[in-house]
Amino acid sequence: MFVYIKHGDNQQFMVNSNCCVFRLLYYIRSKIGLPKTDTIDLCDETGTMKMLFLIKSPGDYAIKFLTPRNTYFVCRVKRGTPGTRLQNAYLAFVPVLKTPGPGLIGKELG
C-alpha cells in the first residue's frame, strides 16, 4: 500500500508503506533534501505525531503505523543542545512546510 507525503510549498509524493520504517524515513529524508543527521517524523492531518523515530525495532514495517492512502506531513524533530541536560529532550516538532495549516501549528505535546 502507499501513503501521501506532503512537504515544502504544498509538494506531495507517494511512498510505499510496505517497507521498514528505517528505509521509509531514509527515503523521505533524501527525497526532500534533508541531511542524514536530521531526525524526522510524520504527522497526520490532525497534527498527531506518529513517533516513527522512536520505534525500537527499525525493521518493523511502516504499514503497521500508517493508514494506507492517508496523507502525512514531514516534521523535523528539534532536540536539546548537545552537552546540556536537555540534549536527549524533544523540544519541538516542526512541519517541513512553507505554510503549515492551523491544525499543525500550536499542537500540544502529550
Side-chain angles (χ1 to χ4, degrees), residues 59-75:
D60 283 347
Y61 273 59
I63 200 164
K64 289 173 47 178
F65 309 101
L66 304 175
T67 305
R69 297 188 178 95
N70 274 11
T71 298
Y72 295 94
F73 299 89
V74 181
C75 296

Side-chain angles (χ1 to χ4, degrees), residues 42-60:
L42 299 176
C43 71
D44 62 20
E45 292 175 315
T46 65
T48 303
M49 300 305 299
K50 294 299 160 183
M51 308 304 272
L52 298 175
F53 69 101
L54 291 178
I55 292 175
K56 298 287 187 220
S57 178
D60 283 347

Side-chain angles (χ1 to χ4, degrees), residues 19-43:
C19 67
C20 68
V21 170
F22 175 79
R23 185 166 306 280
L24 177 76
L25 293 178
Y26 178 85
Y27 176 75
I28 292 170
R29 203 178 291 111
S30 67
K31 176 89 173 165
I32 65 176
L34 293 176
K36 292 179 186 178
T37 55
D38 277 7
T39 302
I40 64 167
D41 196 23
L42 299 176
C43 71

Side-chain angles (χ1 to χ4, degrees), residues 79-91:
R79 301 189 74 167
T81 307
T84 67
R85 65 182 185 91
L86 295 176
Q87 71 182 1
N88 293 322
Y90 307 110
L91 302 178

Side-chain angles (χ1 to χ4, degrees), residues 4-30:
Y4 296 100
I5 304 295
K6 280 194 171 184
H7 68 97
D9 191 14
N10 207 22
Q11 297 172 327
Q12 177 174 290
F13 60 94
M14 286 190 322
V15 294
N16 182 353
S17 59
N18 194 24
C19 67
C20 68
V21 170
F22 175 79
R23 185 166 306 280
L24 177 76
L25 293 178
Y26 178 85
Y27 176 75
I28 292 170
R29 203 178 291 111
S30 67

